[in-house]
Amino acid sequence: DAKTTQPNSMESNEEEPVHLPCNHSTISGTDYIHWYRQLPSQGPEYVIHGLTSNVNNRMASLAIAEDRKSSTLILHRATLRDAAVYYCILRDRDPLGNYGGSQGNLIFGKGTKLSVKP
Amino acid sequence: DAGVTQSPTHLIKTRGQQVTLRCSPKSGHDTVSWYQQALGQGPQFIFQYYEEEERQRGNFPDRFSGHQFPNYSSELNVNALLLGDSALYLCASTRTASSYNSPLHFGNGTRLTVT
């Protein structure tokens, strides 16, 4: 699996937008970009994923660069509850739309620790 | 709808002992994966179970073994515990049939301390 690079930590003020960057210069054409986050004392939780187009859901937005070598997770209004470690992960998907033999295997880096100040 | 549940939440063992951790997947899920998370690190993949068989394995020694039951629940066994096995052990589940669009759901883990 291709690797991702994220800043170790970021700070944000409550109710302001947060842009969390991720570099993945060796991404392949079949790699999906996934984001998970881990709140203190909890297991990771899924945030969002995308392939080429920007994606939105109730939690966040994902902006993907045209060359797909980088992406940005956007939290539109940070709350104290958004303080967590955010992981950017690449998952390879085969032409049939499955994750093949690696569907259970996420390769986590160290992620970005987001602090939110009141 | 219960999510992924793990037991126990905390465990203290002595070096050389054996431990068994348990996981019940989210309702409707049939695939279970186990991860080890050392302090300050991201989770590391141990292995994945589907249809009661180990389907994929990460870079972990044979001291780490597992099992999946017909009801899709799973156990992680670690033999001959080492101090370095102290970590948070996470279980994650997903539904294989829709895996391409199905994220992993994680439990809150079992904190294992080896003394």
Side-chain angles (χ1 to χ4, degrees), chain B residues 11-20 63 77-82 85 112-115:
Chain B
L11 202 52
I12 299 174
K13 289 286 188 178
T14 303
R15 198 170 34 180
Q17 286 187 317
Q18 178 263 345
V19 68
T20 297
R63 298 186 298 109
N77 301 294
V78 187
N79 294 323
L81 284 167
L82 304 173
D85 295 331
L112 173 65
T113 302
V114 182
T115 62

Side-chain angles (χ1 to χ4, degrees), chain A residues 7 11 14 22 41 44 49 60 68 72 82-83 92-93 102 117:
Chain A
E11 274 191 356
E14 196 176 12
C22 180
S41 302
H49 77 280
R68 300 207 330 122
T72 302
D82 291 321
D92 188 22
R93 174 178 162 176
S102 67
K117 295 183 290 184

